[in-house]
Amino acid sequence: MSAALTALAVGVAVPGAAATDELDDPTAPGPVYKTVTDKSALLSLQTNGRPDGRDMVFRISGSVYANIEGNAYDPSLRHGQKLFNIEGYNIRRLYRVPGTTQLYQLSREIVFYTNPADPTKVLREWKNPIDSKTYPVVPINNDAVNFGPFNVTPSYVGPPLRQMHDETEWTSDIPVRTDLKTALGDSFGLVNGVYAAQEMFDFYVDEREVAARTVAGSVPKGAMKTKISWARTSPWAPFMCLPETDVRGQLTYHARSWSLDSYGEIEPWLRAEVEAAYPLYKAAPTAPGPSENSWTSFSNKQLGKGATTWASWCAANGKA
């Protein structure tokens, strides 16, 4: 997870807008989407973005817990302790490479760490219970998070589907292994400098929505009404200044997500937070480019792309 945004302007400079006539927009996914016949593919493509090419949002809400072997740091940092709530979203669109059948999912994501007792109160500082220093809280802000290109032809198929009462469900489990020491020149206190995590997603769509949005040859309007269950196990967040090599343990994220038609449907309190400090995240990217994750974003925005090290940032920002 991570984030950032620019205004999406295809014909008019309105965040989240796209050409109303797909024939006027060579990047619109509709002409390619209409060729797909596989039910699973039609559903999975609609989680990547609206078939009409406009911006959509996956609102994210959940909690973050400490997962500590042997409860080694009790009572200052207990196994199972709720450390944060998380509140934010991913804003995305489907983009077609002009003149091809290749699609990208283009997105940005902004997720705030909030008070464990009140999810609407964004945390600005966090006291590290191991070294007793207070550090600034850096939200997940990834600009951009892109996927593709993937070639969408009439034979394109999606993941296996499963029927659960009146919902269709499918799963995506992703083991993540990234050598940050090699990629960024900084180990971030990680074992062998490698970020190792597990991302687990379950997608749920009501059968009535499935029937309405899997009509071959059509281009549905709006975002498919989708619910997502998401869990992640990963190292301590970089702003926490807890080296994995010295402080055994990890974070467990447990969240749910749901689709929204546009940025304007996000709650006012969250939009106000974004517009005050992260206005780029009001729209999805307009073209493919490099992607970020929480660690590369921290390196780019907090460490000046290698101008300083993670250890130096922690030393400079920790307040006794």
Side-chain angles (χ1 to χ4, degrees), residues 97-167:
V97 179
T100 76
T101 57
Q102 294 184 335
L103 295 184
Y104 281 87
Q105 174 203 291
L106 306 181
S107 76
R108 294 184 171 106
E109 58 192 16
I110 179 80
V111 181
F112 297 98
Y113 291 92
T114 65
N115 190 304
D118 185 347
T120 66
K121 302 298 182 184
V122 175
L123 290 178
R124 314 297 178 188
E125 294 182 326
W126 179 73
K127 185 174 181 178
N128 180 324
I130 302 299
D131 66 11
S132 298
K133 294 182 179 179
T134 299
Y135 295 92
V137 175
V138 179
I140 295 167
N141 61 115
N142 299 330
D143 175 28
V145 184
N146 298 329
F147 170 65
F150 47 100
N151 200 35
V152 178
T153 67
S155 61
Y156 186 80
V157 297
L161 302 178
R162 181 170 58 179
Q163 192 69 31
M164 298 180 66
H165 297 302
D166 57 352
E167 292 182 317

Side-chain angles (χ1 to χ4, degrees), residues 4-5 17 21 23 30 46 52 63 68 92 101 104 121 150 166 172 178 190 195 222 243 268 271 289 310 317 320:
L5 297 181
D21 184 347
L23 296 178
Q46 290 183 76
D52 59 17
S63 304
I68 302 170
R92 60 180 59 193
T101 57
Y104 281 87
K121 302 298 182 184
F150 47 100
D166 57 352
S172 177
T178 303
L190 299 170
Y195 173 85
R271 293 204 313 270
W310 174 76
N317 285 276

Side-chain angles (χ1 to χ4, degrees), residues 64-68 73 75-78 81-86 112-117 121-139 235-243 247-251 253 298 310 313-314 317-320:
V64 185
Y65 301 89
N67 183 8
I68 302 170
Y73 307 110
S76 59
L77 184 60
R78 302 186 316 277
Q81 180 178 342
K82 184 178 179 179
L83 301 176
F84 315 104
N85 280 306
I86 49 170
F112 297 98
Y113 291 92
T114 65
N115 190 304
K121 302 298 182 184
V122 175
L123 290 178
R124 314 297 178 188
E125 294 182 326
W126 179 73
K127 185 174 181 178
N128 180 324
I130 302 299
D131 66 11
S132 298
K133 294 182 179 179
T134 299
Y135 295 92
V137 175
V138 179
W236 310 111
F239 74 84
M240 297 172 74
C241 293
L242 291 171
V247 182
R248 295 182 61 187
Q250 55 189 191
L251 297 176
Y253 293 73
F298 193 92
W310 174 76
W313 185 90
C314 291
N317 285 276
K319 297 187 297 185

Side-chain angles (χ1 to χ4, degrees), residues 133-319:
K133 294 182 179 179
T134 299
Y135 295 92
V137 175
V138 179
I140 295 167
N141 61 115
N142 299 330
D143 175 28
V145 184
N146 298 329
F147 170 65
F150 47 100
N151 200 35
V152 178
T153 67
S155 61
Y156 186 80
V157 297
L161 302 178
R162 181 170 58 179
Q163 192 69 31
M164 298 180 66
H165 297 302
D166 57 352
E167 292 182 317
T168 292
E169 183 265 353
W170 66 96
T171 296
S172 177
D173 293 338
I174 307 168
V176 183
R177 296 176 293 271
T178 303
D179 187 341
L180 295 179
K181 185 175 182 180
T182 298
L184 302 176
D186 195 321
S187 68
F188 287 91
L190 299 170
V191 174
N192 298 323
V194 174
Y195 173 85
Q198 183 78 25
E199 303 261 4
M200 294 158 284
F201 299 87
D202 292 305
F203 299 82
Y204 303 90
V205 182
D206 183 271
E207 276 302 292
R208 291 166 295 182
E209 187 78 348
V210 171
R213 302 184 72 90
T214 54
V215 179
S218 68
V219 179
K221 301 298 182 184
M224 182 171 67
K225 294 178 181 178
T226 310
K227 295 178 291 185
I228 300 175
S229 174
W230 170 66
R232 176 170 80 181
T233 59
S234 64
W236 310 111
F239 74 84
M240 297 172 74
C241 293
L242 291 171
E244 184 182 56
T245 52
D246 299 330
V247 182
R248 295 182 61 187
Q250 55 189 191
L251 297 176
T252 297
Y253 293 73
H254 186 208
R256 67 278 335 151
S257 186
W258 59 97
S259 58
L260 300 173
D261 265 345
S262 67
Y263 171 78
E265 293 188 358
I266 297 169
E267 304 97 302
W269 76 266
L270 185 51
R271 293 204 313 270
E273 191 72 31
V274 170
E275 289 160 17
Y278 299 90
L280 186 63
Y281 293 82
K282 293 168 61 179
T286 58
S291 286
E292 287 187 333
N293 58 41
S294 297
W295 298 82
T296 60
S297 175
F298 193 92
S299 177
N300 291 338
K301 301 179 181 75
Q302 307 301 318
L303 307 184
K305 297 183 178 181
T308 189
T309 65
W310 174 76
S312 296
W313 185 90
C314 291
N317 285 276
K319 297 187 297 185

